[in-house]
């Protein structure tokens, strides 16, 4: 369902927002310096920073990874269509802003089923005159429904970049997560791209932070080994440099990352 549906009243949206428990979109928003969060999110964030300060680096560098990927796809590969699932709360340099800054005729469909994201969807629904931006209130567990609804905005005869960042960790079973990705990619044409990044079980600190978050009452988020991240790209052509820490994916020469190692890996794959 689109946020333009007149039946979606603001009061109904607010009623779906639970401020008694931390929420991943709001928690992540706090870590990247946003203001769309509640005290419970900030308290949990501070608790986890005490356990593992590096999670802040993961949040910020994952956002920077998104920007570099979108600029590469729009600027160097000519991609003009983006399907961003698990959008999260809008901050600076959202997918549509980066893509349309590079290619004004880019079309972007955001997908999330979080009521607070829905409440802020108007901030996402901006576009250049040449392009278009849309928002779907839809669930990752219904990939065919997502593809069908996205076809109102995107041309499925042309390549589409599917972006799923810091979202698949909510799917506990790895094989189920792989199946959801495969079903989404199966509906995209040849020449399309898959972009994924997620937090990884690559340090004791990250594992402890994940455990603390999952015990907070929030919807659990499961960090995975790197080979599981790589498995999402089975059958695709990996774009260089492959599956790497997000800080090492085509870093910009004039803005190199010089911080500590991050527990987040990402990659881009192309459907032949």
């Amino acid at each position: 369902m689109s946020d333009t549906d007149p039946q979606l009243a603001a009061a109904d949206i607010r009623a779906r927002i639970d401020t008694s428990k931390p929420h991943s979109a709001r928690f992540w928003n706090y870590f990247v310096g946003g203001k769309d969060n509640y005290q419970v999110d900030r308290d949990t964030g501070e608790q986890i920073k005490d356990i593992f300060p590096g999670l802040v680096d993961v949040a910020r560098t994952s956002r920077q990874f998104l920007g570099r990927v979108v600029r590469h796809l729009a600027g160097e590969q000519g991609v003009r269509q983006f399907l961003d699932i698990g959008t999260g709360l809008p901050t600076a340099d959202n997918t549509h802003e980066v893509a349309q800054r590079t290619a004004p005729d880019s079309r972007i469909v955001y997908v999330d089923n979080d009521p607070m994201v829905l409440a802020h969807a108007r901030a996402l629904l901006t576009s250049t005159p040449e392009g278009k931006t849309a928002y779907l209130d839809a669930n990752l567990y219904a990939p065919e429904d997502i593809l069908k609804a996205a076809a109102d905005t995107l041309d499925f005869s042309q390549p589409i970049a599917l972006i799923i960042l810091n979202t698949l960790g909510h799917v506990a079973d790895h094989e189920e997560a792989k199946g959801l990705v495969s079903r989404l990619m199966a509906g995209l044409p040849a020449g399309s791209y898959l972009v994924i990044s997620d937090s990884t079980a690559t340090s004791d600190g990250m594992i402890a932070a994940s455990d603390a978050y999952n015990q907070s009452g929030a919807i659990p988020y499961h960090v995975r080994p790197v080979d599981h991240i790589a498995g999402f790209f089975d059958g695709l052509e990996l774009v260089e440099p492959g599956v790497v820490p997000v800080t090492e994916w085509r870093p910009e020469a004039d803005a190199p990352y010089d911080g500590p190692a991050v527990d987040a890996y990402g990659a881009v794959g192309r459907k032949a």
Side-chain angles (χ1 to χ4, degrees):
M1 182 178 294
S2 169
D3 77 320
T4 58
D5 189 326
Q7 301 303 313
L8 281 179
D12 295 330
I13 297 171
R14 287 195 297 271
R16 291 168 55 191
I17 299 174
D18 184 355
T19 62
S20 67
K21 299 176 181 178
H23 187 279
S24 61
R26 304 189 314 243
F27 172 83
W28 213 244
N29 177 264
Y30 173 60
F31 270 0
V32 298
K35 299 179 180 179
D36 297 316
N37 47 72
Y38 292 95
Q39 191 62 48
V40 66
D41 307 301
R42 297 187 286 273
D43 289 345
T44 301
E46 290 301 314
Q47 174 192 354
I48 290 178
K49 279 200 289 186
D50 287 341
I51 296 171
F52 182 52
L55 192 57
V56 176
D57 295 319
V58 168
R60 293 175 179 170
T61 58
S62 295
R63 191 71 184 181
Q64 293 161 1
F65 167 78
L66 170 64
R68 295 196 306 276
V69 167
V70 172
R71 283 191 293 273
H72 170 74
L73 293 177
E76 298 183 39
Q77 301 304 323
V79 176
R80 295 294 179 266
Q81 303 189 107
F82 298 83
L83 178 58
D84 187 336
I85 298 179
T87 304
L89 288 158
T91 56
D93 280 348
N94 300 290
T95 299
H96 74 284
E97 294 170 321
V98 177
Q100 292 182 343
R101 193 180 302 140
T102 304
D105 58 336
S106 296
R107 290 179 165 243
I108 297 87
V109 172
Y110 290 109
V111 181
D112 212 305
N113 69 336
D114 176 76
M116 192 161 177
V117 175
L118 178 59
H120 287 78
R122 290 183 183 275
L124 291 174
L125 288 172
T126 59
S127 176
T128 58
E130 303 93 329
K132 188 172 182 179
T133 306
Y135 177 86
L136 300 177
D137 182 16
N139 197 307
L140 173 65
Y141 291 93
E144 288 77 19
D145 291 345
I146 290 174
L147 296 173
K148 181 179 179 181
D152 289 340
T153 302
L154 306 179
D155 178 359
F156 276 68
S157 71
Q158 298 298 317
I160 296 168
L162 171 63
I163 300 174
I164 314 176
L165 302 190
N166 306 298
T167 297
L168 291 167
H170 287 304
V171 183
D173 183 77
H174 176 59
E175 290 304 318
E176 182 178 14
K178 280 188 67 176
L180 293 170
V181 172
S182 295
R183 286 160 66 187
L184 287 162
M185 289 302 297
L188 302 185
S192 292
Y193 289 85
L194 173 65
V195 181
I196 288 176
S197 74
D198 255 313
S199 301
T200 49
T202 41
S203 76
D204 291 340
M206 174 56 86
I207 294 170
S210 176
D211 289 343
Y213 179 79
N214 292 345
Q215 293 167 14
S216 71
I219 297 173
Y221 193 95
H222 307 276
V223 293
R224 292 189 162 96
V226 177
D227 65 315
H228 281 196
I229 305 299
F232 292 128
F233 295 89
D234 287 351
L236 303 178
E237 301 171 353
L238 280 173
V239 175
E240 289 294 332
V243 182
V244 295
V246 292
T247 53
E248 296 179 17
W249 198 92
R250 296 178 177 257
E252 295 170 344
D254 59 348
Y257 176 74
D258 59 359
V262 297
D263 295 296
Y265 277 65
V268 177
R270 183 180 181 275
K271 180 176 180 178

